[in-house]
Coordinates of all heavy atoms in Angstrom, one line a residue:
M1 N 0.9 -1.2 0.0 CA 0.0 0.0 0.0 C 0.9 1.2 0.0 O 1.8 1.3 0.7 CB -0.9 0.0 1.2 CG -1.8 1.2 1.2 SD -3.1 1.3 2.6 CE -3.1 -0.3 3.3
S2 N 0.6 2.2 -0.8 CA 1.3 3.4 -1.0 C 1.2 4.3 0.3 O 0.1 4.4 0.9 CB 0.8 4.2 -2.2 OG 1.4 5.5 -2.2
R3 N 2.3 5.0 0.6 CA 2.2 5.9 1.8 C 2.1 7.4 1.3 O 2.2 8.3 2.1 CB 3.5 5.8 2.6 CG 3.5 4.5 3.4 CD 2.4 4.7 4.5 NE 2.4 3.5 5.3 CZ 1.3 3.1 6.0 NH1 0.3 3.9 6.0 NH2 1.3 2.1 6.8
N4 N 2.0 7.6 0.0 CA 1.8 8.9 -0.5 C 0.4 9.5 -0.1 O -0.5 8.7 -0.2 CB 1.9 9.0 -2.1 CG 3.3 8.6 -2.5 OD1 4.3 8.8 -1.8 ND2 3.4 8.0 -3.7
N5 N 0.4 10.7 0.3 CA -0.9 11.3 0.7 C -1.6 11.8 -0.6 O -1.0 12.3 -1.5 CB -0.7 12.5 1.6 CG -0.2 12.1 3.0 OD1 -0.5 11.0 3.4 ND2 0.4 13.0 3.7
I6 N -2.9 11.6 -0.6 CA -3.7 12.1 -1.7 C -4.5 13.2 -1.2 O -5.0 13.2 -0.1 CB -4.7 11.0 -2.2 CG1 -4.0 9.7 -2.6 CG2 -5.7 11.5 -3.2 CD1 -3.2 9.9 -3.9
I7 N -4.6 14.3 -2.0 CA -5.4 15.5 -1.6 C -6.7 15.4 -2.2 O -6.8 15.1 -3.4 CB -4.6 16.8 -2.0 CG1 -3.3 16.9 -1.3 CG2 -5.5 18.0 -1.8 CD1 -2.5 18.0 -1.7
C8 N -7.7 15.6 -1.5 CA -9.1 15.6 -2.0 C -9.9 16.7 -1.4 O -9.5 17.3 -0.4 CB -9.8 14.3 -1.7 SG -10.1 14.0 0.0
D9 N -11.0 17.0 -2.0 CA -11.9 18.1 -1.5 C -12.9 17.4 -0.6 O -13.8 16.7 -1.1 CB -12.5 18.8 -2.7 CG -11.6 19.6 -3.5 OD1 -10.8 20.4 -2.8 OD2 -11.6 19.5 -4.7
I10 N -12.9 17.8 0.6 CA -13.8 17.2 1.6 C -15.2 17.7 1.4 O -16.1 16.9 1.6 CB -13.3 17.5 3.0 CG1 -13.9 16.5 4.0 CG2 -13.6 18.9 3.5 CD1 -13.1 16.4 5.3
E11 N -15.4 18.9 0.8 CA -16.7 19.4 0.6 C -17.4 18.7 -0.5 O -18.6 18.5 -0.5 CB -16.7 20.9 0.3 CG -16.3 21.8 1.5 CD -16.2 23.2 1.1 OE1 -16.9 23.7 0.2 OE2 -15.4 23.9 1.8
T12 N -16.7 18.2 -1.5 CA -17.4 17.5 -2.6 C -17.2 16.0 -2.5 O -17.8 15.3 -3.3 CB -16.8 18.0 -4.0 OG1 -15.4 17.7 -4.0 CG2 -17.0 19.4 -4.2
G13 N -16.4 15.5 -1.6 CA -16.2 14.1 -1.4 C -15.4 13.5 -2.6 O -15.5 12.3 -2.8
V14 N -14.6 14.3 -3.2 CA -13.8 13.7 -4.4 C -12.5 13.1 -3.8 O -11.5 13.8 -3.6 CB -13.5 14.9 -5.4 CG1 -12.7 14.3 -6.5 CG2 -14.7 15.5 -5.9
C15 N -12.6 11.9 -3.5 CA -11.5 11.1 -2.9 C -11.4 9.8 -3.6 O -10.9 8.8 -3.0 CB -11.7 10.9 -1.4 SG -11.6 12.4 -0.4
G16 N -11.8 9.7 -4.8 CA -11.8 8.4 -5.5 C -10.4 7.8 -5.6 O -10.3 6.6 -5.5
E17 N -9.4 8.6 -5.9 CA -8.0 8.1 -6.0 C -7.6 7.4 -4.7 O -7.0 6.3 -4.8 CB -7.0 9.2 -6.3 CG -7.2 9.9 -7.7 CD -8.1 11.1 -7.6 OE1 -8.5 11.5 -6.5 OE2 -8.4 11.7 -8.6
A18 N -7.9 8.0 -3.6 CA -7.5 7.3 -2.3 C -8.2 6.0 -2.2 O -7.6 5.0 -1.7 CB -7.8 8.3 -1.2
Q19 N -9.5 5.9 -2.5 CA -10.2 4.7 -2.3 C -9.7 3.7 -3.3 O -9.6 2.5 -3.0 CB -11.7 4.9 -2.5 CG -12.3 5.8 -1.4 CD -13.8 6.2 -1.7 OE1 -14.2 6.0 -2.8 NE2 -14.4 6.7 -0.7
A20 N -9.5 4.1 -4.5 CA -9.0 3.2 -5.6 C -7.6 2.6 -5.2 O -7.3 1.4 -5.5 CB -8.9 3.9 -6.9
L21 N -6.8 3.4 -4.5 CA -5.5 2.9 -4.1 C -5.5 2.2 -2.8 O -4.4 1.7 -2.4 CB -4.5 4.1 -4.0 CG -4.2 4.8 -5.3 CD1 -3.4 6.1 -5.1 CD2 -3.5 3.9 -6.3
G22 N -6.6 2.0 -2.2 CA -6.8 1.3 -0.9 C -6.1 2.1 0.2 O -5.6 1.4 1.2
M23 N -6.1 3.4 0.2 CA -5.4 4.2 1.2 C -6.4 4.3 2.4 O -7.6 4.3 2.3 CB -5.0 5.5 0.7 CG -4.0 5.4 -0.4 SD -3.5 7.0 -1.0 CE -2.6 7.6 0.4
E24 N -5.8 4.5 3.5 CA -6.5 4.7 4.8 C -7.0 6.2 4.8 O -6.4 7.1 4.3 CB -5.6 4.5 6.0 CG -5.1 3.1 6.1 CD -6.2 2.1 6.2 OE1 -7.2 2.3 7.0 OE2 -6.0 1.0 5.7
V25 N -8.1 6.4 5.5 CA -8.7 7.8 5.6 C -7.7 8.8 6.2 O -7.6 9.9 5.8 CB -10.0 7.7 6.4 CG1 -10.5 9.1 6.6 CG2 -11.0 6.9 5.7
D26 N -6.9 8.3 7.2 CA -6.0 9.2 7.8 C -4.8 9.6 6.9 O -4.1 10.5 7.3 CB -5.5 8.7 9.1 CG -4.7 7.4 9.0 OD1 -4.8 6.8 7.9 OD2 -4.0 7.0 9.9
Q27 N -4.7 9.0 5.8 CA -3.6 9.4 4.8 C -4.1 10.4 3.9 O -3.3 10.9 3.1 CB -3.2 8.1 4.0 CG -2.5 7.1 4.9 CD -2.1 5.9 4.0 OE1 -3.0 5.2 3.6 NE2 -0.9 5.7 3.8
V28 N -5.4 10.7 3.9 CA -5.9 11.7 2.9 C -6.0 13.1 3.5 O -6.4 13.3 4.6 CB -7.4 11.2 2.5 CG1 -8.0 12.2 1.6 CG2 -7.4 9.9 1.9
Q29 N -5.4 14.0 2.8 CA -5.5 15.4 3.2 C -6.5 16.2 2.4 O -6.7 15.9 1.2 CB -4.1 16.1 2.9 CG -3.0 15.5 3.7 CD -1.7 16.1 3.3 OE1 -1.6 16.9 2.3 NE2 -0.6 15.8 4.0
S30 N -7.2 17.1 3.1 CA -8.3 17.8 2.4 C -7.8 19.3 2.2 O -6.9 19.7 2.9 CB -9.6 17.8 3.2 OG -9.4 18.5 4.4
R31 N -8.4 19.9 1.2 CA -8.1 21.4 1.0 C -9.4 22.0 0.6 O -10.3 21.4 0.0 CB -7.0 21.6 0.0 CG -7.4 21.1 -1.4 CD -6.3 21.3 -2.4 NE -6.8 20.7 -3.7 CZ -5.9 20.4 -4.6 NH1 -4.7 20.5 -4.5 NH2 -6.4 19.9 -5.7
P32 N -9.6 23.3 0.9 CA -10.8 24.0 0.6 C -11.0 24.2 -0.9 O -10.0 24.2 -1.7 CB -10.7 25.3 1.3 CG -9.2 25.5 1.5 CD -8.6 24.2 1.6
V33 N -12.2 24.3 -1.3 CA -12.5 24.5 -2.8 C -12.3 26.0 -3.0 O -12.8 26.8 -2.3 CB -14.0 24.1 -3.1 CG1 -14.3 24.4 -4.5 CG2 -14.2 22.6 -2.8
P34 N -11.5 26.3 -4.0 CA -11.2 27.7 -4.3 C -12.4 28.4 -4.9 O -13.3 27.8 -5.6 CB -10.0 27.7 -5.3 CG -10.2 26.4 -6.0 CD -10.8 25.5 -5.0
P35 N -12.5 29.8 -4.8 CA -13.5 30.5 -5.5 C -13.4 30.2 -7.0 O -12.3 30.0 -7.5 CB -13.3 31.9 -5.2 CG -12.4 31.9 -4.0 CD -11.6 30.6 -4.0
L36 N -14.5 30.3 -7.7 CA -14.6 30.0 -9.1 C -13.6 31.0 -9.9 O -12.9 30.5 -10.8 CB -16.0 30.1 -9.7 CG -16.1 29.8 -11.2 CD1 -15.7 28.4 -11.5 CD2 -17.6 30.0 -11.6
A37 N -13.6 32.2 -9.5 CA -12.7 33.2 -10.2 C -11.2 32.8 -10.1 O -10.5 32.8 -11.0 CB -12.9 34.6 -9.6
S38 N -10.8 32.3 -8.9 CA -9.4 31.9 -8.7 C -9.1 30.6 -9.5 O -8.1 30.5 -10.1 CB -9.2 31.6 -7.2 OG -9.4 32.7 -6.4
L39 N -10.1 29.7 -9.5 CA -9.9 28.5 -10.3 C -9.8 28.8 -11.8 O -8.9 28.2 -12.5 CB -11.0 27.5 -10.0 CG -10.9 26.1 -10.6 CD1 -9.6 25.4 -10.1 CD2 -12.1 25.3 -10.3
L40 N -10.6 29.6 -12.3 CA -10.6 30.0 -13.7 C -9.3 30.7 -14.0 O -8.7 30.5 -15.1 CB -11.8 30.9 -14.1 CG -12.0 31.2 -15.5 CD1 -12.1 29.9 -16.4 CD2 -13.2 32.1 -15.7
D41 N -8.8 31.5 -13.1 CA -7.5 32.2 -13.4 C -6.4 31.1 -13.5 O -5.5 31.3 -14.3 CB -7.1 33.1 -12.2 CG -7.9 34.4 -12.3 OD1 -8.3 34.8 -13.4 OD2 -7.9 35.1 -11.2
Q42 N -6.4 30.1 -12.7 CA -5.4 29.0 -12.8 C -5.6 28.2 -14.0 O -4.6 27.8 -14.6 CB -5.5 28.1 -11.5 CG -5.1 28.8 -10.3 CD -5.4 27.9 -9.1 OE1 -5.9 26.7 -9.2 NE2 -5.2 28.4 -7.9
E43 N -6.8 27.8 -14.3 CA -7.0 26.8 -15.4 C -7.2 27.4 -16.8 O -7.1 26.7 -17.8 CB -8.2 25.9 -15.0 CG -8.1 25.2 -13.7 CD -6.9 24.2 -13.8 OE1 -6.7 23.6 -14.8 OE2 -6.3 23.9 -12.7
I44 N -7.7 28.7 -16.8 CA -8.0 29.4 -18.1 C -9.3 28.9 -18.7 O -10.0 29.7 -19.3 CB -6.8 29.4 -19.1 CG1 -5.6 30.0 -18.4 CG2 -7.2 30.1 -20.3 CD1 -4.3 29.9 -19.2
R45 N -9.6 27.7 -18.7 CA -10.8 27.1 -19.3 C -11.4 26.1 -18.3 O -10.6 25.2 -17.8 CB -10.5 26.4 -20.6 CG -11.6 25.8 -21.3 CD -11.2 25.2 -22.7 NE -10.6 26.1 -23.5 CZ -9.3 26.1 -24.0 NH1 -8.5 25.1 -23.6 NH2 -8.9 27.0 -24.8
L46 N -12.7 26.1 -18.1 CA -13.3 25.1 -17.3 C -14.6 24.6 -18.0 O -15.4 25.5 -18.5 CB -13.7 25.7 -15.9 CG -12.6 26.1 -15.0 CD1 -13.1 26.9 -13.8 CD2 -11.9 24.8 -14.5
F47 N -14.8 23.4 -18.0 CA -16.0 22.8 -18.6 C -17.1 22.7 -17.5 O -16.8 22.6 -16.3 CB -15.7 21.4 -19.2 CG -15.0 21.5 -20.5 CD1 -13.6 21.6 -20.5 CD2 -15.7 21.5 -21.7 CE1 -12.9 21.7 -21.7 CE2 -15.0 21.6 -22.9 CZ -13.6 21.7 -22.9
S48 N -18.3 22.7 -17.9 CA -19.4 22.7 -17.0 C -19.4 21.5 -16.1 O -19.7 21.6 -14.9 CB -20.8 22.8 -17.7 OG -21.0 21.7 -18.5
K49 N -19.0 20.4 -16.6 CA -18.9 19.1 -15.8 C -17.9 19.3 -14.6 O -18.1 18.9 -13.5 CB -18.6 17.9 -16.6 CG -18.7 16.6 -15.9 CD -20.1 16.4 -15.4 CE -20.3 15.1 -14.7 NZ -21.6 14.8 -14.2
E50 N -16.7 20.0 -15.0 CA -15.7 20.2 -13.9 C -16.3 21.1 -12.8 O -16.0 20.9 -11.6 CB -14.5 20.9 -14.5 CG -13.7 20.1 -15.5 CD -12.6 20.9 -16.2 OE1 -13.0 21.8 -17.0 OE2 -11.5 20.5 -16.0
I51 N -17.1 22.1 -13.2 CA -17.7 23.0 -12.2 C -18.7 22.2 -11.4 O -18.7 22.4 -10.2 CB -18.3 24.2 -13.0 CG1 -17.2 25.0 -13.7 CG2 -19.1 25.1 -12.0 CD1 -17.7 26.1 -14.6
E52 N -19.5 21.4 -12.0 CA -20.5 20.6 -11.3 C -19.8 19.8 -10.2 O -20.2 19.7 -9.0 CB -21.2 19.6 -12.2 CG -22.2 20.2 -13.2 CD -22.7 19.1 -14.1 OE1 -23.0 18.0 -13.7 OE2 -22.8 19.4 -15.3
V53 N -18.7 19.1 -10.6 CA -18.0 18.2 -9.6 C -17.3 19.0 -8.5 O -17.4 18.7 -7.4 CB -17.1 17.3 -10.4 CG1 -16.2 16.5 -9.4 CG2 -17.8 16.3 -11.3
M54 N -16.6 20.0 -8.9 CA -15.8 20.8 -8.0 C -16.6 21.5 -6.9 O -16.3 21.5 -5.8 CB -14.9 21.8 -8.7 CG -14.0 22.6 -7.8 SD -12.8 21.6 -7.0 CE -11.4 22.1 -7.9
Y55 N -17.8 22.0 -7.3 CA -18.6 22.7 -6.4 C -19.9 22.0 -6.0 O -20.8 22.6 -5.4 CB -19.0 24.1 -7.1 CG -17.7 24.9 -7.3 CD1 -17.1 24.9 -8.5 CD2 -17.1 25.6 -6.3 CE1 -15.9 25.6 -8.7 CE2 -16.0 26.3 -6.4 CZ -15.4 26.3 -7.7 OH -14.2 27.0 -7.9
A56 N -20.0 20.7 -6.3 CA -21.1 19.8 -5.9 C -22.4 20.5 -6.2 O -23.3 20.6 -5.4 CB -21.0 19.5 -4.4
I57 N -22.6 20.8 -7.5 CA -23.9 21.4 -7.9 C -24.4 20.6 -9.1 O -23.7 19.8 -9.7 CB -23.7 22.9 -8.4 CG1 -22.7 23.0 -9.5 CG2 -23.3 23.8 -7.2 CD1 -22.6 24.4 -10.1
E58 N -25.7 20.7 -9.3 CA -26.4 20.0 -10.4 C -26.1 20.7 -11.7 O -25.9 21.9 -11.8 CB -27.9 20.0 -10.1 CG -28.3 19.2 -8.9 CD -28.0 17.7 -9.0 OE1 -28.1 17.1 -10.1 OE2 -27.6 17.1 -8.0
Q59 N -26.3 20.0 -12.8 CA -26.1 20.6 -14.2 C -26.9 21.8 -14.4 O -26.5 22.8 -14.9 CB -26.3 19.5 -15.2 CG -26.1 20.0 -16.6 CD -26.4 18.9 -17.7 OE1 -27.0 17.9 -17.4 NE2 -26.0 19.2 -18.9
R60 N -28.2 21.7 -13.9 CA -29.1 22.8 -14.1 C -28.7 24.1 -13.4 O -29.2 25.2 -13.6 CB -30.5 22.4 -13.8 CG -30.8 22.2 -12.3 CD -32.2 21.6 -12.1 NE -32.5 21.5 -10.7 CZ -32.0 20.7 -9.8 NH1 -31.1 19.8 -10.2 NH2 -32.4 20.7 -8.5
E61 N -27.8 24.0 -12.4 CA -27.4 25.1 -11.6 C -26.1 25.8 -12.1 O -25.8 26.9 -11.6 CB -27.1 24.6 -10.1 CG -28.3 24.0 -9.5 CD -28.0 23.4 -8.1 OE1 -27.0 22.6 -8.1 OE2 -28.7 23.7 -7.2
V62 N -25.5 25.2 -13.1 CA -24.2 25.7 -13.5 C -24.3 27.1 -14.0 O -23.5 28.0 -13.6 CB -23.5 24.8 -14.6 CG1 -22.3 25.4 -15.2 CG2 -23.2 23.4 -14.0
H63 N -25.2 27.5 -14.9 CA -25.3 28.8 -15.5 C -25.5 29.9 -14.4 O -24.8 30.9 -14.4 CB -26.4 28.9 -16.5 CG -26.1 28.1 -17.7 ND1 -25.1 28.5 -18.7 CD2 -26.6 26.9 -18.2 CE1 -25.1 27.6 -19.6 NE2 -26.0 26.6 -19.4
S64 N -26.4 29.6 -13.5 CA -26.7 30.6 -12.4 C -25.5 30.7 -11.5 O -25.2 31.8 -11.0 CB -28.0 30.3 -11.7 OG -27.9 29.1 -11.0
F65 N -24.8 29.6 -11.2 CA -23.6 29.6 -10.3 C -22.5 30.5 -11.0 O -22.0 31.3 -10.3 CB -23.1 28.2 -10.1 CG -21.9 28.1 -9.3 CD1 -22.0 28.2 -7.9 CD2 -20.7 27.9 -9.8 CE1 -20.9 28.2 -7.1 CE2 -19.5 27.8 -9.0 CZ -19.6 27.9 -7.6
I66 N -22.3 30.3 -12.2 CA -21.3 31.1 -12.9 C -21.7 32.6 -12.9 O -20.8 33.4 -12.6 CB -21.1 30.6 -14.4 CG1 -20.5 29.2 -14.4 CG2 -20.3 31.6 -15.2 CD1 -20.5 28.6 -15.8
A67 N -22.9 32.9 -13.2 CA -23.4 34.3 -13.2 C -23.2 34.9 -11.8 O -22.9 36.1 -11.7 CB -24.8 34.3 -13.6
N68 N -23.4 34.1 -10.7 CA -23.3 34.7 -9.4 C -21.8 34.8 -8.9 O -21.5 35.7 -8.1 CB -24.0 33.8 -8.3 CG -25.5 33.8 -8.4 OD1 -26.0 34.8 -8.8 ND2 -26.2 32.8 -8.1
E69 N -21.0 34.0 -9.5 CA -19.6 34.0 -9.0 C -18.6 34.8 -9.9 O -17.6 35.3 -9.4 CB -19.0 32.5 -9.1 CG -19.7 31.6 -8.1 CD -19.3 31.9 -6.7 OE1 -18.1 32.1 -6.4 OE2 -20.2 31.8 -5.8
L70 N -19.0 35.1 -11.1 CA -18.1 35.8 -12.0 C -18.8 37.1 -12.6 O -20.0 37.0 -12.9 CB -17.6 34.9 -13.2 CG -16.9 33.6 -12.8 CD1 -16.7 32.8 -14.1 CD2 -15.6 33.9 -12.1
S71 N -18.0 38.1 -12.9 CA -18.5 39.2 -13.6 C -18.6 38.9 -15.1 O -17.7 38.2 -15.6 CB -17.7 40.5 -13.3 OG -16.4 40.3 -13.8
L72 N -19.6 39.5 -15.7 CA -19.7 39.2 -17.2 C -18.5 39.6 -18.0 O -18.3 39.0 -19.1 CB -21.0 39.9 -17.7 CG -22.3 39.3 -17.3 CD1 -23.5 40.2 -17.7 CD2 -22.5 37.9 -17.8
D73 N -17.8 40.6 -17.6 CA -16.6 41.0 -18.4 C -15.4 40.2 -18.1 O -14.3 40.5 -18.7 CB -16.4 42.5 -18.2 CG -16.0 42.8 -16.8 OD1 -16.2 42.0 -15.9 OD2 -15.5 44.0 -16.5
S74 N -15.4 39.2 -17.3 CA -14.2 38.4 -16.9 C -14.1 37.1 -17.7 O -13.1 36.5 -17.7 CB -14.2 38.2 -15.4 OG -15.2 37.3 -15.0
Y75 N -15.2 36.6 -18.3 CA -15.2 35.3 -19.0 C -16.1 35.3 -20.2 O -16.9 36.2 -20.4 CB -15.7 34.2 -18.0 CG -17.2 34.3 -17.8 CD1 -18.0 33.5 -18.5 CD2 -17.7 35.1 -16.8 CE1 -19.4 33.5 -18.2 CE2 -19.0 35.1 -16.5 CZ -19.9 34.3 -17.3 OH -21.2 34.4 -17.0
T76 N -15.8 34.4 -21.1 CA -16.7 34.1 -22.2 C -17.2 32.7 -22.1 O -16.5 31.8 -21.6 CB -16.0 34.2 -23.6 OG1 -14.8 33.3 -23.6 CG2 -15.5 35.6 -23.8
Q77 N -18.4 32.5 -22.5 CA -19.0 31.1 -22.5 C -19.2 30.6 -23.9 O -19.7 31.3 -24.7 CB -20.4 31.2 -21.8 CG -21.1 29.9 -21.6 CD -22.3 30.0 -20.7 OE1 -22.3 30.5 -19.7 NE2 -23.4 29.5 -21.2
K78 N -18.7 29.4 -24.1 CA -18.8 28.7 -25.4 C -19.3 27.3 -25.2 O -19.5 26.8 -24.1 CB -17.4 28.7 -26.0 CG -16.8 30.1 -26.2 CD -15.4 30.0 -26.8 CE -14.8 31.4 -26.9 NZ -13.5 31.4 -27.4
E79 N -19.5 26.6 -26.3 CA -20.0 25.3 -26.3 C -19.3 24.5 -27.4 O -19.1 24.9 -28.5 CB -21.5 25.3 -26.6 CG -22.2 23.9 -26.4 CD -23.7 24.0 -26.5 OE1 -24.3 25.0 -26.0 OE2 -24.3 23.1 -27.1
I80 N -19.0 23.2 -27.0 CA -18.4 22.3 -28.0 C -19.0 20.9 -27.7 O -19.1 20.5 -26.5 CB -16.9 22.3 -27.9 CG1 -16.3 21.4 -29.0 CG2 -16.4 21.8 -26.5 CD1 -14.8 21.5 -29.1
V81 N -19.5 20.3 -28.7 CA -20.2 18.9 -28.6 C -21.2 18.9 -27.4 O -21.1 18.0 -26.6 CB -19.1 17.8 -28.5 CG1 -19.8 16.5 -28.7 CG2 -18.0 18.0 -29.4
N82 N -22.0 19.9 -27.4 CA -23.1 20.0 -26.4 C -22.5 20.2 -24.9 O -23.3 19.9 -24.0 CB -24.1 18.8 -26.4 CG -24.8 18.8 -27.7 OD1 -25.2 19.9 -28.2 ND2 -25.1 17.7 -28.3
E83 N -21.3 20.5 -24.8 CA -20.7 20.8 -23.5 C -20.3 22.3 -23.4 O -19.6 22.8 -24.2 CB -19.4 19.9 -23.3 CG -18.7 20.1 -22.0 CD -19.4 19.5 -20.8 OE1 -20.3 18.7 -20.9 OE2 -19.1 19.9 -19.6
V84 N -20.9 22.9 -22.4 CA -20.6 24.3 -22.1 C -19.3 24.5 -21.4 O -19.0 23.6 -20.5 CB -21.8 25.0 -21.3 CG1 -21.4 26.4 -20.9 CG2 -23.1 24.9 -22.1
Y85 N -18.5 25.5 -21.8 CA -17.3 25.8 -21.0 C -17.1 27.3 -21.0 O -17.7 28.0 -21.8 CB -16.1 25.1 -21.7 CG -15.7 25.5 -23.0 CD1 -14.7 26.5 -23.2 CD2 -16.3 25.0 -24.2 CE1 -14.3 26.9 -24.5 CE2 -15.9 25.4 -25.4 CZ -14.9 26.3 -25.6 OH -14.5 26.7 -26.8
I86 N -16.3 27.7 -20.0 CA -16.0 29.1 -19.9 C -14.5 29.3 -20.0 O -13.7 28.4 -19.6 CB -16.5 29.7 -18.5 CG1 -16.0 28.9 -17.3 CG2 -18.1 29.7 -18.5 CD1 -16.3 29.6 -16.0
E87 N -14.1 30.5 -20.5 CA -12.7 30.8 -20.6 C -12.5 32.2 -20.1 O -13.5 33.1 -20.2 CB -12.3 30.8 -22.1 CG -12.2 29.5 -22.7 CD -11.7 29.5 -24.1 OE1 -12.0 30.5 -24.9 OE2 -11.0 28.6 -24.5
I88 N -11.3 32.5 -19.6 CA -11.0 33.9 -19.2 C -11.0 34.7 -20.5 O -10.5 34.3 -21.5 CB -9.6 33.9 -18.6 CG1 -9.6 33.2 -17.3 CG2 -9.1 35.3 -18.4 CD1 -8.2 33.1 -16.6
K89 N -11.6 35.9 -20.4 CA -11.5 36.9 -21.5 C -10.1 37.4 -21.6 O -9.5 37.7 -20.6 CB -12.5 38.1 -21.3 CG -13.9 37.8 -21.7 CD -14.7 39.1 -21.7 CE -16.1 38.8 -22.2 NZ -16.9 39.9 -22.1
Q90 N -9.7 37.4 -22.9 CA -8.3 38.0 -23.1 C -8.4 39.5 -23.0 O -9.3 40.2 -23.5 CB -7.9 37.6 -24.6 CG -7.8 36.1 -24.8 CD -6.8 35.5 -23.9 OE1 -5.7 36.0 -23.6 NE2 -7.2 34.3 -23.4
K91 N -7.4 40.0 -22.3 CA -7.4 41.5 -22.0 C -6.5 42.2 -23.0 O -5.7 41.8 -23.7 CB -6.9 41.7 -20.6 CG -7.8 41.1 -19.6 CD -7.3 41.3 -18.2 CE -8.2 40.6 -17.3 NZ -7.8 40.6 -15.9

C-alpha cells in the first residue's frame, strides 16, 4: 500500500483516487474549494462538468452559479459537442 498522501476536496467528497489505491482515511489530506474566479485564473478554461463536480452542484445550476460567481466582463461562455465551457476573456 502506498504511503503517498492524496489530496481531496472534503466538501465535494472527491476522494476516488484514495479509495482506488486502498489508502486509509488518515492518509488523505483535504483542502478547501477555491472560488470560481481563482480556479478560472489558474485553469484558463473550465467545462461545466468540472464546475459541477468541484462545487457539488447540479447541471441545471451551472449557469446561475457562474453568473453569481463571475462578472460578465471576466469570462466568455462557449459550447463544444453540447458541453458548455467558460474561458478567461483575453485582455
Side-chain angles (χ1 to χ4, degrees):
M1 182 177 346
S2 172
R3 286 289 179 202
N4 295 333
N5 288 336
I6 301 292
I7 297 176
C8 67
D9 290 314
I10 201 155
E11 291 179 26
T12 61
V14 179
C15 295
E17 294 93 2
Q19 292 172 348
L21 294 172
M23 296 180 71
E24 301 295 323
V25 173
D26 63 343
Q27 293 176 293
V28 178
Q29 297 176 349
S30 65
R31 63 178 177 205
V33 178
L36 183 58
S38 298
L39 187 60
L40 187 58
D41 282 340
Q42 291 173 2
E43 301 295 329
I44 301 174
R45 178 180 303 115
L46 290 170
F47 286 87
S48 62
K49 188 63 175 178
E50 294 174 295
I51 296 169
E52 287 175 44
V53 171
M54 181 64 106
Y55 297 97
I57 60 175
E58 298 293 325
Q59 181 180 14
R60 68 184 187 290
E61 301 171 308
V62 172
H63 292 289
S64 61
F65 180 77
I66 292 169
N68 288 333
E69 295 289 317
L70 302 174
S71 64
L72 286 174
D73 62 346
S74 67
Y75 72 96
T76 57
Q77 183 171 309
K78 300 178 181 180
E79 188 174 320
I80 185 168
V81 192
N82 295 323
E83 177 75 16
V84 172
Y85 66 95
I86 58 174
E87 291 183 325
I88 293 177
K89 273 192 179 174
Q90 300 299 321
K91 297 176 182 177

